[in-house]
Amino acid sequence: MVYLKTDEEIELLRENNILVSQTLAEVGRHIKPGVTTKYLDSIAEDFIRSHGAIPSCLGYEGYPAATCISVNEQVVHGIPSDKVVIKEGDIVSVDLCTFMKGFNGDSAYTFAVGEIAPEVKKLLDVTKEALYKGTAQAKAGNRVGDISAAVQDYVQSFGYGVVRELEGHGLGRKMHEDPGVPNYGHRGRGRLLEEGMVICIEPMITMGSHSIVFERDGWTVRTRDRKPAAHFEFAVAVRKSGPDVLTDFSIIEQ
Ligand code: MF3
Ligand code: CO
């Protein structure tokens, strides 16, 4: 079910998504060689709770942590662990959600740890740019397929893989609402985008084959060929005038 949001509801979603951006920035400040993903998760959880929100990933369908932290060949839904130690040259995707005032925030960012290989840096740059290419299509009157095709065409022009099994989604009182927003598809197809829809666009892009496997923990998704993957996600309100991005990556990047 698609729930169209009022202007007031969009502002509550924006408050959540700004808190998510601030939390990602706080986690990013703590990412350095030697720290564990479990430690980074505790930083995020404390930050979210101290700002009066709840980390809505925790307990979601039984998920055991406040954040998903996926390193290198892990694509998404990596479970924070005291056994996963960050090292120089890693890429670390942090995905987290908040809940306050009846609404959710949801965003992900892939961080580079120190100096990373130039081809991995390129993967991060292209994945983030693909998110912006998709976002540019998020205006009333377009269709979900316009977003999907914009992401896919851009990414594939660099020879990267688009993960098929997971997709973006509507965001509101529930973390996952309709419509699904795949990162591959055809222009002009799929659900009509309407004023007041709020969606998360989240390209999950692989350096090699797009083929993935689920780890035995039941959550972690990694590339089958163990080549690196990147994930950037943010929330966008669809307006007649065009996309209104509710998340603020500049908070993370400054
Ligand atoms: N941002 C993630 C998503 O949209 C949230 C995952 S929470 C989890 O899938 F609990 F499912 F891990
Ligand atoms: Co999401």
Side-chain angles (χ1 to χ4, degrees), residues 28-214:
R29 281 190 282 275
H30 288 83
I31 295 181
K32 38 177 132 15
V35 304
T36 67
T37 56
K38 182 98 182 162
Y39 172 72
L40 297 172
D41 184 74
S42 73
I43 297 287
E45 178 162 4
D46 291 350
F47 191 89
I48 291 166
R49 291 192 191 281
S50 74
H51 287 79
I54 285 168
S56 35
C57 286
L58 184 62
Y60 182 86
E61 292 181 6
Y63 186 74
T67 62
C68 301
I69 306 184
S70 311
V71 181
N72 297 334
E73 74 271 19
Q74 296 177 343
V75 184
V76 289
H77 301 167
I79 301 175
S81 161
D82 53 15
K83 296 193 176 57
V84 179
V85 182
I86 302 297
K87 55 185 194 312
E88 173 86 14
D90 282 349
I91 55 171
V92 181
S93 303
V94 182
D95 186 355
L96 58 90
C97 301
T98 61
F99 182 84
M100 64 178 172
K101 303 182 184 176
F103 288 87
N104 285 277
D106 180 7
S107 173
Y109 197 93
T110 303
F111 296 90
V113 185
E115 283 291 305
I116 60 171
E119 65 269 26
V120 178
K121 174 77 169 73
K122 179 85 186 170
L123 174 71
L124 301 194
D125 291 345
V126 168
T127 304
K128 189 163 61 162
E129 185 59 28
L131 170 56
Y132 292 129
K133 296 271 191 255
T135 300
Q137 299 298 320
K139 52 172 177 269
N142 276 4
R143 290 184 177 271
V144 168
D146 294 313
I147 297 171
S148 307
V151 171
Q152 182 180 23
D153 291 352
Y154 183 71
V155 163
Q156 289 185 348
S157 73
F158 294 88
Y160 296 142
V162 175
V163 171
R164 304 288 202 269
E165 292 83 350
L166 300 146
E167 61 185 20
H169 50 89
L171 181 74
R173 293 188 181 278
K174 295 218 177 90
M175 190 200 298
H176 292 146
E177 297 181 354
D178 287 335
V181 184
N183 295 301
Y184 66 100
H186 296 281
R187 248 171 258 291
R189 306 247 189 101
R191 196 187 191 286
L192 186 65
L193 297 173
E194 293 173 69
E195 165 81 19
M197 281 173 72
V198 174
I199 53 173
C200 285
I201 305 175
E202 48 178 317
M204 289 156 264
I205 305 304
T206 62
M207 192 176 249
S209 160
H210 64 72
S211 177
I212 56 155
V213 296
F214 286 83

